[in-house]
Amino acid sequence: MDEKKNKSVLNWIILLALALVWGSSFILMKRGLVAFSSSQVAAIRIFVAFLFLLPLAVKHLKKELLVHWKSFLGMGMCGNLIPAFLFTKAETGISSSLTGMLNSLTPLFTIITGILFFKAKARWQSVAGVLIGLAGAIGLIYSGGGKETSTETQIFFSLYVVVATVLYAFSVNIIGAHLRNVNALTATVWALMFIGPIAGIYLFSTDFIHVLQTNPEAPRAFGFVCILGIFGTALSVIIFNVLIRNSNPVFASSVTYLIPAVALLWGLFDNEPVHLLHFVFIGVILSGVYLVNRK
């Protein structure tokens, strides 16, 4: 019983740590966009994460694991590469805090894709928890916090985040269904070995070097994106894989319920509009997380 309790406590600690890291990702993207284009910020993020884990390739790229190459590729493309480009593109039209709010759609799509494509079974409590959390996220969105743009523009750029959360859901289920027996660090290294070179080739085909050399804001912006790549991608994905293996895909994806709280606090720090209602809806979101994890 004590072992189960300790494991549950550890899962919650990991969940909160991931929420802090990923909730801070949106403000780091915003800082990167000061000097670089949205696609450059995304490519830097992935390429830096790839370089950070490259020294571990010799130890973790074992021939016998090639049997999982499709799952590693799916994890890398759906969980990292494509969403990175979609999120930065979204932030060119909506605020960082609103982007963080919309990220809360991931658990809903995790259940839907799990049932439709991975033969997953969802308890009514999990479904209810997701719906309550989603309702809280919708409340956050409608209580304000976007950029001074038209409703149509916000909806258009919000769709980038919606597509990204669908891809996240596929990645979560791929890990839960096919990579549970693969070491978390090994899986992350494999995934980034597939997508890292793609990001690097794209990055250096742009005017990235020219911007870095001529824009006075570029070195600082580059530093922020490097932090994003190392902590928000390389290290956090490893920890996220551990969480999926120790719990389940739905609970693991519930980290996105907590991300809006962190994103909103950063928004407050960065003078984005934050209201009392935001914190009310965050309470609703946390209630959903509790239901998802309740035995």
Side-chain angles (χ1 to χ4, degrees):
M1 184 65 71
D2 288 339
E3 183 178 348
K4 287 184 177 180
K5 184 177 180 181
N6 290 338
K7 190 175 182 180
S8 178
V9 170
L10 177 61
N11 287 342
W12 276 99
I13 292 173
I14 293 174
L15 188 76
L16 294 172
L18 283 172
L20 179 62
V21 172
W22 280 337
S24 302
S25 295
F26 305 101
I27 195 68
L28 290 172
M29 291 180 211
K30 184 177 179 179
R31 292 290 183 264
L33 289 169
V34 169
F36 301 104
S37 69
S38 63
S39 58
Q40 286 174 335
V41 171
I44 293 169
R45 175 183 185 175
I46 299 300
F47 190 58
V48 166
F50 162 71
L51 293 177
F52 181 77
L53 293 180
L54 188 58
L56 302 177
V58 175
K59 179 179 179 180
H60 291 274
L61 297 184
K62 303 298 183 182
K63 186 177 179 180
E64 59 269 20
L65 291 175
L66 271 174
V67 67
H68 298 296
W69 74 268
K70 290 182 180 179
S71 296
F72 292 135
L73 180 60
M75 171 187 164
M77 296 295 289
C78 296
N80 294 281
L81 185 64
I82 301 176
F85 282 83
L86 292 171
F87 276 114
T88 51
K89 182 64 177 178
E91 286 204 21
T92 63
I94 57 177
S95 68
S96 63
S97 56
L98 181 56
T99 305
M101 297 175 203
L102 288 170
N103 198 52
S104 296
L105 291 167
T106 301
L108 176 61
F109 290 124
T110 298
I111 283 185
I112 293 173
T113 56
I115 293 172
L116 293 178
F117 300 101
F118 296 89
K119 300 179 181 179
K121 295 181 180 179
R123 297 174 301 146
W124 70 266
Q125 283 184 174
S126 295
V127 175
V130 167
L131 293 177
I132 289 172
L134 179 61
I138 293 172
L140 279 170
I141 294 169
Y142 278 95
S143 60
K147 288 185 177 180
E148 296 298 326
T149 56
S150 67
T151 301
E152 292 78 10
T153 299
Q154 290 208 24
I155 291 173
F156 176 78
F157 282 96
S158 294
L159 288 176
Y160 286 106
V161 185
V162 173
V163 175
T165 57
V166 173
L167 292 173
Y168 272 163
F170 271 102
S171 179
V172 169
N173 279 297
I174 287 170
I175 295 167
H178 303 298
L179 298 175
R180 271 187 176 272
N181 296 322
V182 178
N183 177 273
L185 179 57
T186 300
T188 305
V189 170
W190 270 91
L192 284 172
M193 292 307 111
F194 276 113
I195 65 173
I198 298 173
I201 291 170
Y202 171 77
L203 178 63
F204 290 103
S205 70
T206 69
D207 64 345
F208 163 67
I209 297 296
H210 176 73
V211 174
L212 193 59
Q213 291 175 339
T214 59
N215 190 328
E217 297 286 342
R220 189 165 181 262
F222 181 70
F224 283 123
V225 183
C226 286
I227 293 172
L228 176 63
I230 294 171
F231 291 95
T233 298
L235 295 178
S236 61
V237 169
I238 295 169
I239 299 172
F240 187 56
N241 290 353
V242 171
L243 183 61
I244 292 173
R245 291 197 305 162
N246 288 348
S247 56
N248 59 72
V250 174
F251 176 70
S253 65
S254 294
V255 66
T256 55
Y257 283 163
L258 302 176
I259 288 173
V262 180
L264 278 171
L265 289 175
W266 276 116
L268 182 63
F269 174 78
D270 206 43
N271 296 319
E272 292 182 357
V274 177
H275 311 297
L276 180 60
L277 269 179
H278 291 151
F279 297 98
V280 173
F281 286 119
I282 286 171
V284 175
I285 289 172
L286 292 175
S287 299
V289 175
Y290 172 77
L291 267 183
V292 166
N293 194 49
R294 185 183 176 190
K295 299 299 181 182

